[in-house]
Amino acid sequence: MTQLQETSNKQTIALYTNWLKTARAKQIAPDVDFYIWLILAGRGWGKTRTGAQDIVTYALRHPNSNCAVVAPTHGDLRRVCFGGPSGLLSIIPKECFIKSSDQKGYSSSTSEIRLSNGSKISGFAAQEPDRLRGPQFHRAWCDELAAWRYPEAFDQLMFGLRLGAKPQCVITTTPKPTKIIKELIERKDCHVTSGSTFENEANLAESALAMLKDR
């Protein structure tokens, strides 16, 4: 093992153990057999951090894996899932990005992250469902599924979620009574976690909490 690999492994372990120490119980992947983990919670609950942490941890702990992140639009993908304060780039240790003269650790133009262990995290916008035709993945994170304009993007993603012994999908979304959300809740292979904004009260500004309580 090279020094770079050893450093990356140490950072991966630290990232995972620190998350276990700081996350609330509902933010940790359930210890049950699931194909889809559906998180339905209000703004400020910590959905983005949970989805980002899950996909990053998986990619770092499973070398040469292909992971997908799908958001409603390209803007959501860049501003929230990748570049947001709780997004992927805020979580991944710099030592874990690939070090190569011909490849970037993060490419904003392609919304792609390459890690030193050979894993790749690819971003997609649900507004372009055809882009999800063909690629295959070990794990996926869908953000704000209830706001996707084209539900068929989810179908295309599921067709490609077939790599490895146990491919899984994590969905983080504000709860809305849309057809796709209702159907997912009824699925036997879907584990549902619901939550309130106020569960994350310790990490939210008092002004934000006051505004939400007045609604």
Side-chain angles (χ1 to χ4, degrees), residues 14-102:
L15 178 71
Y16 182 60
T17 54
N18 288 339
W19 176 240
L20 291 179
K21 291 177 183 177
T22 59
R24 303 189 307 278
K26 287 184 179 181
Q27 292 180 289
I28 304 297
D31 189 21
V32 297
D33 188 27
F34 69 89
Y35 179 46
I36 297 170
W37 178 22
L38 175 61
I39 301 174
L40 300 170
R43 296 179 65 180
W45 182 87
K47 299 189 298 295
T48 301
R49 178 64 190 276
T50 302
Q53 192 79 41
D54 179 89
I55 207 77
V56 166
T57 300
Y58 181 90
L60 287 173
R61 297 180 73 193
H62 297 81
N64 302 309
S65 59
N66 288 329
C67 299
V69 176
V70 189
T73 67
H74 288 288
D76 296 320
L77 196 63
R78 290 191 299 269
R79 292 192 305 268
V80 180
C81 297
F82 278 78
S86 299
L88 301 170
L89 297 177
S90 73
I91 293 173
I92 303 173
K94 64 179 185 300
E95 296 87 354
C96 295
F97 286 99
I98 193 172
K99 303 294 188 297
S100 172
S101 58
D102 60 345

Side-chain angles (χ1 to χ4, degrees), residues 48 68-84 87-89 106-112 121-128 131 141-143 148:
T48 301
V69 176
V70 189
T73 67
H74 288 288
D76 296 320
L77 196 63
R78 290 191 299 269
R79 292 192 305 268
V80 180
C81 297
F82 278 78
L88 301 170
L89 297 177
Y106 167 59
S107 172
S108 59
S109 61
T110 60
S111 296
E112 188 173 273
I121 301 175
S122 302
F124 300 87
Q127 66 192 103
E128 296 180 345
R131 280 202 62 215
W141 167 30
C142 301
D143 191 48
W148 288 15

Side-chain angles (χ1 to χ4, degrees), residues 1 4 50 73 89 110-111 153 155 161 167 181 183 189 204 214:
M1 181 183 296
L4 181 62
T50 302
T73 67
L89 297 177
T110 60
S111 296
D155 295 331
L161 189 62
I181 298 299
E183 290 175 347
D189 58 357
L204 297 175
D214 288 339

Side-chain angles (χ1 to χ4, degrees), residues 163-175:
L163 295 181
K166 193 176 182 180
Q168 293 175 313
C169 177
V170 178
I171 300 170
T172 55
T173 187
T174 304

